[in-house]
């Protein structure tokens, strides 16, 4: 049975068809929620709320997007609702992340990382990334995560988040630059310690 | 140094393999002579590599079975017990 047939079956009340539709996507939504909230309990709630809402709305699904895209859209609304009240730092304009800008943290010469794996254990690097990602405002971390961790094409990222293509691109880049800078600061500090 | 900021979107597209060929060649020429842009390419690349290395977490099993029960319950309330 292809996806379309499964959807039609599910819409007529077949729970098995629905289960098959969400089978491989439950973990994906969980992962996305973990990355974006940095919190296991929140992530579990988000998966449950998302799938409950999907049941509520399944008969309204009109096949205008793929089922996966539709589910991601519901998940992101839930993630926003869960994470919305947490304080996160604002991101700066793109130019501020480039060498020679006025920001204090970016000096004129960029720091060459070499191979971070030689200086940090894998686990430590993972923790750093997790923290850095969870600190970004959702409007940046969500498109970045969809694009690079879920490997979604930019066009689909824009669709899921209801953004123009250029807005999606710009947010993905800002998140990437902000993460780069956070990591760079940690690596530079570590390097200074050794000198 | 200031002129390099106009390359940044191109640098990102270059890393992701989305920059068209003519612009790639031009950017590569620039990279030969600009250390900062070379470091930018390398570290932006590594940023994504490091993010992808993160654990691929799965829904814990006990949560998953509780979730399935809750979904089935909800489903039967909506559609009745036909499946
Ligand atoms: Zn340059």
């Amino acid at each position: 049975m292809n996806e379309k047939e499964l959807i039609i079956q599910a819409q007529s009340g077949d729970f098995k068809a629905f289960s098959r539709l969400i089978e491989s996507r439950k973990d994906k939504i969980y992962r996305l929620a973990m990355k974006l909230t940095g919190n296991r309990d929140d992530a579990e709630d988000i998966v449950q709320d998302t799938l409950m809402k999907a049941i509520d709305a399944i008969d309204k699904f009109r096949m205008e997007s793929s089922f996966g895209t539709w589910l991601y859209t519901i998940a992101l609304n839930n993630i926003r609702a869960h994470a919305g009240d947490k304080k996160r730092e604002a991101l700066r304009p793109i130019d501020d992340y480039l060498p020679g800008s006025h920001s204090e943290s970016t000096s004129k010469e960029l720091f060459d990382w070499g191979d971070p794996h030689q200086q940090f254990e894998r686990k430590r690097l993972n923790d750093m990334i997790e923290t850095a990602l969870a600190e970004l405002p959702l409007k940046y971390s969500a498109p970045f995560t969809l694009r690079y961790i879920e490997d979604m094409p930019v066009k689909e990222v824009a669709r899921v988040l209801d953004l123009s293509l250029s807005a999606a691109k710009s947010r993905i880049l800002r998140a990437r630059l902000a993460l780069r800078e956070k990591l760079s600061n940690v690596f530079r500090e570590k390097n200074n310690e050794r000198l | 140094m200031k002129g390099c900021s106009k390359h940044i979107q191109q640098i990102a597209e270059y890393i992701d393999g989305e920059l068209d060929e003519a612009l790639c060649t031009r950017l590569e020429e620039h990279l030969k002579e600009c250390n900062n842009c070379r470091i930018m390419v390398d570290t932006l690349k590594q940023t994504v590599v490091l993010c992808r290395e993160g654990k691929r977490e799965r829904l814990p099993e006990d949560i998953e079975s509780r979730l399935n029960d809750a979904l089935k319950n909800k489903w039967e309330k909506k559609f009745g017990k036909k499946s």
Side-chain angles (χ1 to χ4, degrees):
Chain A
M1 228 185 283
N2 66 27
E3 182 165 288
K4 201 166 176 182
E5 289 165 333
L6 282 173
I7 293 164
I8 292 166
Q9 289 281 333
Q11 285 176 328
S12 66
D14 183 349
F15 183 66
K16 280 201 191 100
F18 180 74
S19 298
R20 278 184 59 192
L21 281 167
I22 61 168
E23 185 58 48
S24 65
R25 290 167 174 134
K26 278 185 284 192
D27 287 323
K28 283 189 173 183
I29 295 170
Y30 179 68
R31 262 194 313 260
L32 181 69
M34 272 295 286
K35 299 269 180 220
L36 296 179
T37 64
N39 182 301
R40 193 172 297 278
D41 292 337
D42 280 351
E44 290 168 7
D45 287 349
I46 287 162
V47 177
Q48 169 142 349
D49 291 353
T50 300
L51 297 173
M52 290 294 200
K53 285 208 179 99
I55 294 178
D56 277 334
I58 184 94
D59 12 52
K60 290 180 211 111
F61 179 66
R62 293 276 169 262
M63 320 249 183
E64 282 151 2
S65 62
S66 79
F67 187 78
T69 303
W70 181 70
L71 216 50
Y72 270 126
T73 310
I74 302 176
L76 279 154
N77 284 334
N78 273 305
I79 291 171
R80 264 181 224 120
H82 269 85
D85 44 15
K86 285 195 190 111
K87 267 207 157 173
R88 291 163 192 247
E89 64 193 297
L91 291 200
R92 313 195 303 269
I94 285 174
D95 280 359
D96 262 35
Y97 289 101
L98 305 176
S101 72
H102 299 294
S103 103
E104 291 159 49
S105 44
T106 312
S107 65
K108 280 195 165 166
E109 290 300 317
L110 288 180
F111 176 68
D112 191 348
W113 295 3
D115 180 6
H117 293 95
Q118 307 235 310
Q119 300 183 52
F120 295 95
E121 282 174 41
R122 179 69 67 101
K123 166 94 178 63
R124 184 73 214 293
L125 286 169
N126 285 346
D127 290 346
M128 267 183 230
I129 297 273
E130 249 168 50
T131 315
L133 204 51
E135 279 171 5
L136 295 187
L138 265 184
K139 63 186 275 207
Y140 303 104
S141 58
F144 176 86
T145 305
L146 290 174
R147 175 70 186 88
Y148 292 119
I149 302 180
E150 298 303 322
D151 274 326
M152 212 181 252
V154 191
K155 254 193 197 161
E156 202 183 339
V157 174
R159 202 176 307 139
V160 168
L161 295 170
D162 197 21
L163 294 169
S164 69
L165 196 60
S166 64
K169 275 190 185 174
S170 149
R171 288 188 192 185
I172 291 167
L173 179 58
R174 276 169 85 178
R176 193 174 190 172
L177 286 165
L179 287 171
R180 192 206 77 84
E181 188 181 271
K182 278 169 190 281
L183 294 172
S184 211
N185 288 340
V186 179
F187 298 157
R188 191 199 298 259
E189 228 167 86
K190 172 91 174 179
N191 194 264
N192 288 345
E193 272 169 28
R194 288 189 317 163
L195 297 177
Chain B
M1 209 74 71
K2 194 116 182 70
C4 289
S5 60
K6 67 176 192 292
H7 296 298
I8 190 66
Q9 183 69 53
Q10 284 187 12
I11 284 178
E13 286 171 14
Y14 173 74
I15 299 168
D16 295 344
E18 289 161 0
L19 193 62
D20 73 51
E21 225 172 295
L23 288 171
C24 271
T25 315
R26 258 209 275 166
L27 183 63
E28 277 163 1
E29 285 300 313
H30 175 75
L31 289 177
K32 275 186 206 154
E33 55 201 42
C34 184
N35 192 40
N36 264 346
C37 282
R38 271 202 308 273
I39 295 177
M40 195 52 110
V41 167
D42 176 57
T43 53
L44 281 179
K45 214 186 263 178
Q46 291 207 52
T47 300
V48 167
V49 170
L50 291 171
C51 285
R52 283 183 171 146
E53 275 175 5
K55 358 183 206 340
R56 294 252 139 197
E57 293 209 58
R58 303 198 52 178
L59 206 55
E61 253 170 62
D62 56 322
I63 304 288
E64 170 140 27
S65 80
R66 230 192 313 145
L67 174 67
N68 286 341
D69 291 345
L71 292 176
K72 188 148 203 270
N73 235 315
K74 169 118 183 154
W75 193 270
E76 285 172 354
K77 265 191 205 139
K78 178 169 175 147
F79 290 103
K81 278 196 182 186
K82 58 179 159 182
S83 48

